[in-house]
Amino acid sequence: MENITHILKGCIVGDHKYQKIIYEQYRGYALKTVFRYIYRYEKAQDIVNDSFVKLFSNFSKFKLVSEVDNEMLFMGWFRRILINSAIDELRRGSMLPEIGGIPDSVWEIADDNQDAYQRLLYKDLVILIRKLPPAYRIVFNLYVIDGYSHSEIADRINIPVGTSKSNLARARVYLQESLKKMEESKLCRI
Amino acid sequence: MQDIENNMDDLFRKAASDYPLKTGESRWDEIAAAMTKVSSTPGMKTMGRKKYLALILLLFFGLLLGGIIIWDNVIINEAKEINEQEVKNQAVDIPSENNTLTQHNNPISGEVQKISGSGQIKQQDIFLKNEKIDNKNILTNKADGNQKDILLVTESNGSIISHDLPEKIAKENQDDRELKTPFNENNIDLGKNLLVNPDVSLEKTGEPEKSIEEKQITDSNKKNQQPNSKGFYFGIAAGPVFSEVNGQGLRKGGYDGGLLTGYQFNNNLSVETGVLFSKRYYFSDGKYFHTNKMPPGMDVISLEGSSSVFEIPLKVRYNILTHKKAQVYTSAGISSSILVNEKNDYLLRVNGSPQKMYSNYKNNYGYIGSTIDISIGYERKISRYSAVRIEPYLKIPLRGVGIGTMQVMSTGLHFAVTRQSR
């Protein structure tokens, strides 16, 4: 694996070879980020593709800093592109709740090892996030997972700061109740 | 409760990072194809967009300038037409036995009365001149060959002393005295005909009146001087702006534009104000950015951003060099501003890790007396009431502005078109 700074430099000058390396290395991360926002798997994949096109089209604006910080800077910038694309897509759909289940084919088959249980738990938790109404889902993802402040969320999705806070509170209540039910159902099975 | 929330948040963060999602097959070919399409289409986000905008601005100014010049010329031509119409309306035929004289007056410009005739005069243009000598009005003709005949001499009360006019007309003039305009308004009646020469007026002050020729010379001199320019004026201004924070240098240029108005007290002094919209770009090291309005734990390494501002300047302008059509001036004053939008791209250190963050602030913040403005400019008249100016300026910050309370200094160039109210 080449040095990340070298790869990023290649992307800055528009070298397709390095762009492909970035794509292959980060498409999993990109899909996981977008899938937290977008309900449909196929739609999430389309948004990931669009985000990569935006990324590579604007790579000339990316400024390299230091060997240590470059990857972190790049990931922060790319994540912002992914989130913005996902939110724009949700707003195009007028933030209406989606219907239908999530097919099992989108999930990786858990290996039979120590971490398997944990990953299954994580899968269930992400499913809980995805089941939130879009308005709550966006705020929860932005605030808790992606580290935005309420004022930034309010600016980004054009809602009052108070609405952002109340949506987050409601999302938490919903998730806590869902977690309780999940725990109870597991105890029942035992 | 907070602990439960924090624990839940941590749990979901870990879940979001490590949950088992299939990535699916690589779709690199689609991305490569999309990239090829993007690179072959000329985008608006290139320098072409700025050139396009500059062209639009140039075209707008050119049209505005042309419009003002045409408008002024239309007004002047209309005035001329009115004058000529009045002249035509006053053109009369002076019947006589042997010749017909037609007179033309131009009461506004003060041209010497002109009579063209036929018959004995044989199409020769004769100029009439009305003079006052020793309290008597003397009407003479001054042919093109400088020949001068006395046609009519009257007292100041209008009674005729002598004349060389056709007898019939002179008699009518005498008889209809009370119906005619008196001589002290310089109207000489020829029956139903009037010779009007309002430029030669007999003032009752007793001061010697000026002849038409003398008045023409005076008027011409007045036109060569700067007209009295006291009064209100208004205009539009626009131009590029370059901003920097704490002397860190200029990087990307912005622009501003808006309306201005002022009051001119005399030929040298005026006061000016207006409303200008300004788009500024800047960059800064984090040490000049105050983080008290930012979330805790954020350390700004550097930032690059832009701001949209409405500015209200108030300044005094003084002409230091004045010429007939142009002047050089200097101005000084204070601007207040309303910050309507601020966008910053931050490079942060959060919990020890560098991170990029983009923020867009849309709250309106007002700053009274935000900058001291100084400028020097060159203004040139393009018509009687309109002028164009070019004015480089400097705005020195008096206080910090924006989310980071940064001291932003700006310099730029204003191109403006102004028009005086009449």
Side-chain angles (χ1 to χ4, degrees), chain B residues 197-226:
Chain B
N197 186 4
D199 286 317
V200 184
S201 62
L202 297 178
E203 297 291 338
K204 288 190 178 175
T205 58
E207 289 175 6
E209 70 174 37
K210 288 184 183 175
S211 65
I212 295 168
E213 285 169 340
E214 284 168 342
K215 283 217 168 187
Q216 274 187 317
I217 294 165
T218 309
D219 289 343
S220 171
N221 285 343
K222 277 184 186 171
K223 278 176 193 170
N224 286 336
Q225 293 170 3
Q226 282 274 358

PDB file of all heavy atoms in Angstrom, chain B residues 197-226:
ATOM      1  N   ASN B 197     -36.780  90.974 -27.822  1.00  0.00           N
ATOM      2  CA  ASN B 197     -35.372  90.782 -27.483  1.00  0.00           C
ATOM      3  C   ASN B 197     -35.245  90.809 -25.968  1.00  0.00           C
ATOM      4  O   ASN B 197     -34.787  91.781 -25.378  1.00  0.00           O
ATOM      5  CB  ASN B 197     -34.529  91.882 -28.117  1.00  0.00           C
ATOM      6  CG  ASN B 197     -33.053  91.607 -27.904  1.00  0.00           C
ATOM      7  OD1 ASN B 197     -32.675  90.578 -27.362  1.00  0.00           O
ATOM      8  ND2 ASN B 197     -32.228  92.543 -28.293  1.00  0.00           N
ATOM      9  N   PRO B 198     -35.720  89.772 -25.330  1.00  0.00           N
ATOM     10  CA  PRO B 198     -35.764  89.807 -23.865  1.00  0.00           C
ATOM     11  C   PRO B 198     -34.391  89.805 -23.223  1.00  0.00           C
ATOM     12  O   PRO B 198     -34.262  90.044 -22.044  1.00  0.00           O
ATOM     13  CB  PRO B 198     -36.539  88.540 -23.492  1.00  0.00           C
ATOM     14  CG  PRO B 198     -36.304  87.630 -24.636  1.00  0.00           C
ATOM     15  CD  PRO B 198     -36.173  88.500 -25.842  1.00  0.00           C
ATOM     16  N   ASP B 199     -33.341  89.476 -23.972  1.00  0.00           N
ATOM     17  CA  ASP B 199     -32.025  89.479 -23.359  1.00  0.00           C
ATOM     18  C   ASP B 199     -31.554  90.884 -23.090  1.00  0.00           C
ATOM     19  O   ASP B 199     -30.685  91.113 -22.267  1.00  0.00           O
ATOM     20  CB  ASP B 199     -31.011  88.777 -24.278  1.00  0.00           C
ATOM     21  CG  ASP B 199     -31.247  87.289 -24.233  1.00  0.00           C
ATOM     22  OD1 ASP B 199     -31.468  86.772 -23.146  1.00  0.00           O
ATOM     23  OD2 ASP B 199     -31.242  86.675 -25.308  1.00  0.00           O
ATOM     24  N   VAL B 200     -32.070  91.812 -23.793  1.00  0.00           N
ATOM     25  CA  VAL B 200     -31.669  93.198 -23.555  1.00  0.00           C
ATOM     26  C   VAL B 200     -32.777  93.821 -22.739  1.00  0.00           C
ATOM     27  O   VAL B 200     -33.790  94.265 -23.263  1.00  0.00           O
ATOM     28  CB  VAL B 200     -31.495  93.940 -24.892  1.00  0.00           C
ATOM     29  CG1 VAL B 200     -30.984  95.344 -24.631  1.00  0.00           C
ATOM     30  CG2 VAL B 200     -30.512  93.183 -25.773  1.00  0.00           C
ATOM     31  N   SER B 201     -32.612  93.798 -21.459  1.00  0.00           N
ATOM     32  CA  SER B 201     -33.700  94.291 -20.607  1.00  0.00           C
ATOM     33  C   SER B 201     -33.284  95.602 -19.988  1.00  0.00           C
ATOM     34  O   SER B 201     -32.131  95.822 -19.644  1.00  0.00           O
ATOM     35  CB  SER B 201     -34.011  93.272 -19.528  1.00  0.00           C
ATOM     36  OG  SER B 201     -32.882  93.087 -18.725  1.00  0.00           O
ATOM     37  N   LEU B 202     -34.224  96.486 -19.855  1.00  0.00           N
ATOM     38  CA  LEU B 202     -33.959  97.792 -19.261  1.00  0.00           C
ATOM     39  C   LEU B 202     -34.342  97.725 -17.807  1.00  0.00           C
ATOM     40  O   LEU B 202     -35.501  97.680 -17.463  1.00  0.00           O
ATOM     41  CB  LEU B 202     -34.783  98.871 -19.965  1.00  0.00           C
ATOM     42  CG  LEU B 202     -34.431  99.057 -21.449  1.00  0.00           C
ATOM     43  CD1 LEU B 202     -35.323 100.113 -22.058  1.00  0.00           C
ATOM     44  CD2 LEU B 202     -32.978  99.465 -21.599  1.00  0.00           C
ATOM     45  N   GLU B 203     -33.337  97.628 -16.984  1.00  0.00           N
ATOM     46  CA  GLU B 203     -33.602  97.561 -15.563  1.00  0.00           C
ATOM     47  C   GLU B 203     -33.880  98.949 -15.039  1.00  0.00           C
ATOM     48  O   GLU B 203     -33.254  99.916 -15.443  1.00  0.00           O
ATOM     49  CB  GLU B 203     -32.381  96.990 -14.827  1.00  0.00           C
ATOM     50  CG  GLU B 203     -32.053  95.557 -15.227  1.00  0.00           C
ATOM     51  CD  GLU B 203     -33.113  94.575 -14.742  1.00  0.00           C
ATOM     52  OE1 GLU B 203     -33.830  94.904 -13.786  1.00  0.00           O
ATOM     53  OE2 GLU B 203     -33.220  93.499 -15.350  1.00  0.00           O
ATOM     54  N   LYS B 204     -34.815  99.059 -14.120  1.00  0.00           N
ATOM     55  CA  LYS B 204     -35.119 100.380 -13.567  1.00  0.00           C
ATOM     56  C   LYS B 204     -34.086 100.812 -12.563  1.00  0.00           C
ATOM     57  O   LYS B 204     -34.158 101.869 -11.987  1.00  0.00           O
ATOM     58  CB  LYS B 204     -36.498 100.350 -12.930  1.00  0.00           C
ATOM     59  CG  LYS B 204     -37.580 100.288 -13.981  1.00  0.00           C
ATOM     60  CD  LYS B 204     -38.945 100.498 -13.385  1.00  0.00           C
ATOM     61  CE  LYS B 204     -39.957 100.459 -14.516  1.00  0.00           C
ATOM     62  NZ  LYS B 204     -41.319 100.530 -14.049  1.00  0.00           N
ATOM     63  N   THR B 205     -33.113 100.008 -12.305  1.00  0.00           N
ATOM     64  CA  THR B 205     -32.042 100.404 -11.399  1.00  0.00           C
ATOM     65  C   THR B 205     -31.175 101.478 -12.004  1.00  0.00           C
ATOM     66  O   THR B 205     -30.405 102.113 -11.325  1.00  0.00           O
ATOM     67  CB  THR B 205     -31.149  99.202 -11.089  1.00  0.00           C
ATOM     68  OG1 THR B 205     -30.628  98.685 -12.303  1.00  0.00           O
ATOM     69  CG2 THR B 205     -31.959  98.130 -10.378  1.00  0.00           C
ATOM     70  N   GLY B 206     -31.282 101.636 -13.311  1.00  0.00           N
ATOM     71  CA  GLY B 206     -30.490 102.678 -13.948  1.00  0.00           C
ATOM     72  C   GLY B 206     -29.117 102.204 -14.363  1.00  0.00           C
ATOM     73  O   GLY B 206     -28.332 102.966 -14.893  1.00  0.00           O
ATOM     74  N   GLU B 207     -28.802 100.959 -14.117  1.00  0.00           N
ATOM     75  CA  GLU B 207     -27.498 100.474 -14.532  1.00  0.00           C
ATOM     76  C   GLU B 207     -27.501 100.317 -16.042  1.00  0.00           C
ATOM     77  O   GLU B 207     -28.513  99.970 -16.638  1.00  0.00           O
ATOM     78  CB  GLU B 207     -27.214  99.107 -13.894  1.00  0.00           C
ATOM     79  CG  GLU B 207     -26.972  99.215 -12.417  1.00  0.00           C
ATOM     80  CD  GLU B 207     -26.833  97.822 -11.828  1.00  0.00           C
ATOM     81  OE1 GLU B 207     -26.823  96.848 -12.583  1.00  0.00           O
ATOM     82  OE2 GLU B 207     -26.768  97.743 -10.600  1.00  0.00           O
ATOM     83  N   PRO B 208     -26.354 100.579 -16.635  1.00  0.00           N
ATOM     84  CA  PRO B 208     -26.331 100.442 -18.094  1.00  0.00           C
ATOM     85  C   PRO B 208     -26.568  98.988 -18.475  1.00  0.00           C
ATOM     86  O   PRO B 208     -26.014  98.080 -17.875  1.00  0.00           O
ATOM     87  CB  PRO B 208     -24.904 100.877 -18.481  1.00  0.00           C
ATOM     88  CG  PRO B 208     -24.119 100.819 -17.227  1.00  0.00           C
ATOM     89  CD  PRO B 208     -25.048 100.994 -16.102  1.00  0.00           C
ATOM     90  N   GLU B 209     -27.460  98.836 -19.406  1.00  0.00           N
ATOM     91  CA  GLU B 209     -27.763  97.467 -19.782  1.00  0.00           C
ATOM     92  C   GLU B 209     -26.702  96.951 -20.730  1.00  0.00           C
ATOM     93  O   GLU B 209     -26.044  97.704 -21.447  1.00  0.00           O
ATOM     94  CB  GLU B 209     -29.128  97.395 -20.432  1.00  0.00           C
ATOM     95  CG  GLU B 209     -29.165  98.042 -21.798  1.00  0.00           C
ATOM     96  CD  GLU B 209     -30.493  97.823 -22.486  1.00  0.00           C
ATOM     97  OE1 GLU B 209     -31.515  97.841 -21.809  1.00  0.00           O
ATOM     98  OE2 GLU B 209     -30.471  97.655 -23.698  1.00  0.00           O
ATOM     99  N   LYS B 210     -26.613  95.667 -20.756  1.00  0.00           N
ATOM    100  CA  LYS B 210     -25.633  95.051 -21.651  1.00  0.00           C
ATOM    101  C   LYS B 210     -26.270  94.879 -23.010  1.00  0.00           C
ATOM    102  O   LYS B 210     -27.459  94.603 -23.130  1.00  0.00           O
ATOM    103  CB  LYS B 210     -25.253  93.668 -21.129  1.00  0.00           C
ATOM    104  CG  LYS B 210     -24.390  93.724 -19.894  1.00  0.00           C
ATOM    105  CD  LYS B 210     -23.993  92.312 -19.517  1.00  0.00           C
ATOM    106  CE  LYS B 210     -23.189  92.350 -18.231  1.00  0.00           C
ATOM    107  NZ  LYS B 210     -22.879  91.023 -17.772  1.00  0.00           N
ATOM    108  N   SER B 211     -25.450  94.993 -24.016  1.00  0.00           N
ATOM    109  CA  SER B 211     -25.943  94.715 -25.357  1.00  0.00           C
ATOM    110  C   SER B 211     -26.042  93.212 -25.520  1.00  0.00           C
ATOM    111  O   SER B 211     -25.544  92.439 -24.715  1.00  0.00           O
ATOM    112  CB  SER B 211     -24.990  95.282 -26.398  1.00  0.00           C
ATOM    113  OG  SER B 211     -23.761  94.588 -26.302  1.00  0.00           O
ATOM    114  N   ILE B 212     -26.700  92.839 -26.582  1.00  0.00           N
ATOM    115  CA  ILE B 212     -26.890  91.406 -26.804  1.00  0.00           C
ATOM    116  C   ILE B 212     -25.557  90.718 -26.975  1.00  0.00           C
ATOM    117  O   ILE B 212     -25.307  89.633 -26.460  1.00  0.00           O
ATOM    118  CB  ILE B 212     -27.770  91.176 -28.044  1.00  0.00           C
ATOM    119  CG1 ILE B 212     -29.163  91.735 -27.764  1.00  0.00           C
ATOM    120  CG2 ILE B 212     -27.867  89.695 -28.378  1.00  0.00           C
ATOM    121  CD1 ILE B 212     -30.019  91.831 -28.997  1.00  0.00           C
ATOM    122  N   GLU B 213     -24.661  91.401 -27.691  1.00  0.00           N
ATOM    123  CA  GLU B 213     -23.352  90.789 -27.910  1.00  0.00           C
ATOM    124  C   GLU B 213     -22.607  90.621 -26.597  1.00  0.00           C
ATOM    125  O   GLU B 213     -21.982  89.602 -26.347  1.00  0.00           O
ATOM    126  CB  GLU B 213     -22.524  91.667 -28.852  1.00  0.00           C
ATOM    127  CG  GLU B 213     -22.984  91.554 -30.295  1.00  0.00           C
ATOM    128  CD  GLU B 213     -22.347  92.608 -31.164  1.00  0.00           C
ATOM    129  OE1 GLU B 213     -21.883  93.626 -30.613  1.00  0.00           O
ATOM    130  OE2 GLU B 213     -22.317  92.413 -32.373  1.00  0.00           O
ATOM    131  N   GLU B 214     -22.703  91.650 -25.748  1.00  0.00           N
ATOM    132  CA  GLU B 214     -22.014  91.553 -24.460  1.00  0.00           C
ATOM    133  C   GLU B 214     -22.592  90.419 -23.634  1.00  0.00           C
ATOM    134  O   GLU B 214     -21.888  89.690 -22.967  1.00  0.00           O
ATOM    135  CB  GLU B 214     -22.143  92.876 -23.707  1.00  0.00           C
ATOM    136  CG  GLU B 214     -21.221  93.964 -24.257  1.00  0.00           C
ATOM    137  CD  GLU B 214     -21.571  95.330 -23.685  1.00  0.00           C
ATOM    138  OE1 GLU B 214     -22.688  95.502 -23.160  1.00  0.00           O
ATOM    139  OE2 GLU B 214     -20.723  96.222 -23.764  1.00  0.00           O
ATOM    140  N   LYS B 215     -23.880  90.297 -23.688  1.00  0.00           N
ATOM    141  CA  LYS B 215     -24.521  89.211 -22.933  1.00  0.00           C
ATOM    142  C   LYS B 215     -24.106  87.856 -23.467  1.00  0.00           C
ATOM    143  O   LYS B 215     -23.913  86.904 -22.733  1.00  0.00           O
ATOM    144  CB  LYS B 215     -26.035  89.345 -23.031  1.00  0.00           C
ATOM    145  CG  LYS B 215     -26.582  90.427 -22.150  1.00  0.00           C
ATOM    146  CD  LYS B 215     -27.926  90.000 -21.563  1.00  0.00           C
ATOM    147  CE  LYS B 215     -28.307  90.958 -20.471  1.00  0.00           C
ATOM    148  NZ  LYS B 215     -29.481  90.531 -19.760  1.00  0.00           N
ATOM    149  N   GLN B 216     -23.963  87.772 -24.782  1.00  0.00           N
ATOM    150  CA  GLN B 216     -23.521  86.508 -25.360  1.00  0.00           C
ATOM    151  C   GLN B 216     -22.162  86.124 -24.824  1.00  0.00           C
ATOM    152  O   GLN B 216     -21.895  84.974 -24.496  1.00  0.00           O
ATOM    153  CB  GLN B 216     -23.435  86.632 -26.874  1.00  0.00           C
ATOM    154  CG  GLN B 216     -24.741  86.373 -27.579  1.00  0.00           C
ATOM    155  CD  GLN B 216     -24.544  86.344 -29.073  1.00  0.00           C
ATOM    156  OE1 GLN B 216     -23.833  87.187 -29.611  1.00  0.00           O
ATOM    157  NE2 GLN B 216     -25.158  85.403 -29.721  1.00  0.00           N
ATOM    158  N   ILE B 217     -21.255  87.124 -24.754  1.00  0.00           N
ATOM    159  CA  ILE B 217     -19.901  86.853 -24.262  1.00  0.00           C
ATOM    160  C   ILE B 217     -19.961  86.410 -22.810  1.00  0.00           C
ATOM    161  O   ILE B 217     -19.306  85.459 -22.408  1.00  0.00           O
ATOM    162  CB  ILE B 217     -19.006  88.098 -24.414  1.00  0.00           C
ATOM    163  CG1 ILE B 217     -18.815  88.403 -25.900  1.00  0.00           C
ATOM    164  CG2 ILE B 217     -17.658  87.898 -23.726  1.00  0.00           C
ATOM    165  CD1 ILE B 217     -18.272  89.784 -26.170  1.00  0.00           C
ATOM    166  N   THR B 218     -20.767  87.075 -22.001  1.00  0.00           N
ATOM    167  CA  THR B 218     -20.889  86.720 -20.578  1.00  0.00           C
ATOM    168  C   THR B 218     -21.403  85.298 -20.422  1.00  0.00           C
ATOM    169  O   THR B 218     -20.886  84.517 -19.622  1.00  0.00           O
ATOM    170  CB  THR B 218     -21.854  87.686 -19.872  1.00  0.00           C
ATOM    171  OG1 THR B 218     -21.463  89.013 -20.169  1.00  0.00           O
ATOM    172  CG2 THR B 218     -21.844  87.452 -18.375  1.00  0.00           C
ATOM    173  N   ASP B 219     -22.454  84.979 -21.204  1.00  0.00           N
ATOM    174  CA  ASP B 219     -23.016  83.630 -21.099  1.00  0.00           C
ATOM    175  C   ASP B 219     -21.987  82.590 -21.495  1.00  0.00           C
ATOM    176  O   ASP B 219     -21.880  81.532 -20.885  1.00  0.00           O
ATOM    177  CB  ASP B 219     -24.242  83.498 -22.006  1.00  0.00           C
ATOM    178  CG  ASP B 219     -25.406  84.299 -21.453  1.00  0.00           C
ATOM    179  OD1 ASP B 219     -25.350  84.660 -20.263  1.00  0.00           O
ATOM    180  OD2 ASP B 219     -26.346  84.596 -22.212  1.00  0.00           O
ATOM    181  N   SER B 220     -21.212  82.909 -22.524  1.00  0.00           N
ATOM    182  CA  SER B 220     -20.198  81.958 -22.980  1.00  0.00           C
ATOM    183  C   SER B 220     -19.160  81.742 -21.895  1.00  0.00           C
ATOM    184  O   SER B 220     -18.714  80.622 -21.655  1.00  0.00           O
ATOM    185  CB  SER B 220     -19.549  82.510 -24.254  1.00  0.00           C
ATOM    186  OG  SER B 220     -18.440  81.729 -24.592  1.00  0.00           O
ATOM    187  N   ASN B 221     -18.766  82.819 -21.221  1.00  0.00           N
ATOM    188  CA  ASN B 221     -17.799  82.688 -20.132  1.00  0.00           C
ATOM    189  C   ASN B 221     -18.345  81.824 -19.009  1.00  0.00           C
ATOM    190  O   ASN B 221     -17.644  81.013 -18.425  1.00  0.00           O
ATOM    191  CB  ASN B 221     -17.440  84.075 -19.571  1.00  0.00           C
ATOM    192  CG  ASN B 221     -16.518  84.811 -20.515  1.00  0.00           C
ATOM    193  OD1 ASN B 221     -15.907  84.207 -21.391  1.00  0.00           O
ATOM    194  ND2 ASN B 221     -16.438  86.123 -20.364  1.00  0.00           N
ATOM    195  N   LYS B 222     -19.615  82.024 -18.731  1.00  0.00           N
ATOM    196  CA  LYS B 222     -20.233  81.244 -17.644  1.00  0.00           C
ATOM    197  C   LYS B 222     -20.225  79.772 -17.969  1.00  0.00           C
ATOM    198  O   LYS B 222     -19.994  78.925 -17.128  1.00  0.00           O
ATOM    199  CB  LYS B 222     -21.680  81.700 -17.445  1.00  0.00           C
ATOM    200  CG  LYS B 222     -21.802  82.938 -16.584  1.00  0.00           C
ATOM    201  CD  LYS B 222     -23.271  83.264 -16.368  1.00  0.00           C
ATOM    202  CE  LYS B 222     -23.418  84.575 -15.644  1.00  0.00           C
ATOM    203  NZ  LYS B 222     -24.807  85.025 -15.613  1.00  0.00           N
ATOM    204  N   LYS B 223     -20.451  79.459 -19.231  1.00  0.00           N
ATOM    205  CA  LYS B 223     -20.506  78.043 -19.608  1.00  0.00           C
ATOM    206  C   LYS B 223     -19.151  77.388 -19.437  1.00  0.00           C
ATOM    207  O   LYS B 223     -19.045  76.207 -19.157  1.00  0.00           O
ATOM    208  CB  LYS B 223     -20.951  77.908 -21.074  1.00  0.00           C
ATOM    209  CG  LYS B 223     -22.442  77.999 -21.254  1.00  0.00           C
ATOM    210  CD  LYS B 223     -22.793  77.949 -22.737  1.00  0.00           C
ATOM    211  CE  LYS B 223     -24.232  78.357 -22.915  1.00  0.00           C
ATOM    212  NZ  LYS B 223     -24.568  78.552 -24.317  1.00  0.00           N
ATOM    213  N   ASN B 224     -18.065  78.156 -19.621  1.00  0.00           N
ATOM    214  CA  ASN B 224     -16.739  77.574 -19.491  1.00  0.00           C
ATOM    215  C   ASN B 224     -16.350  77.326 -18.049  1.00  0.00           C
ATOM    216  O   ASN B 224     -15.419  76.594 -17.777  1.00  0.00           O
ATOM    217  CB  ASN B 224     -15.693  78.487 -20.153  1.00  0.00           C
ATOM    218  CG  ASN B 224     -15.798  78.402 -21.662  1.00  0.00           C
ATOM    219  OD1 ASN B 224     -16.275  77.417 -22.192  1.00  0.00           O
ATOM    220  ND2 ASN B 224     -15.397  79.461 -22.344  1.00  0.00           N
ATOM    221  N   GLN B 225     -17.028  77.979 -17.109  1.00  0.00           N
ATOM    222  CA  GLN B 225     -16.722  77.754 -15.703  1.00  0.00           C
ATOM    223  C   GLN B 225     -17.497  76.550 -15.190  1.00  0.00           C
ATOM    224  O   GLN B 225     -18.422  76.077 -15.823  1.00  0.00           O
ATOM    225  CB  GLN B 225     -17.116  78.973 -14.875  1.00  0.00           C
ATOM    226  CG  GLN B 225     -16.277  80.193 -15.179  1.00  0.00           C
ATOM    227  CD  GLN B 225     -16.857  81.434 -14.525  1.00  0.00           C
ATOM    228  OE1 GLN B 225     -17.857  81.352 -13.804  1.00  0.00           O
ATOM    229  NE2 GLN B 225     -16.255  82.565 -14.780  1.00  0.00           N
ATOM    230  N   GLN B 226     -17.067  76.041 -13.988  1.00  0.00           N
ATOM    231  CA  GLN B 226     -17.824  74.987 -13.332  1.00  0.00           C
ATOM    232  C   GLN B 226     -19.189  75.538 -12.947  1.00  0.00           C
ATOM    233  O   GLN B 226     -19.280  76.575 -12.333  1.00  0.00           O
ATOM    234  CB  GLN B 226     -17.126  74.548 -12.046  1.00  0.00           C
ATOM    235  CG  GLN B 226     -15.951  73.651 -12.264  1.00  0.00           C
ATOM    236  CD  GLN B 226     -16.381  72.194 -12.377  1.00  0.00           C
ATOM    237  OE1 GLN B 226     -17.544  71.874 -12.250  1.00  0.00           O
ATOM    238  NE2 GLN B 226     -15.439  71.320 -12.650  1.00  0.00           N
TER     239      GLN B 226
END
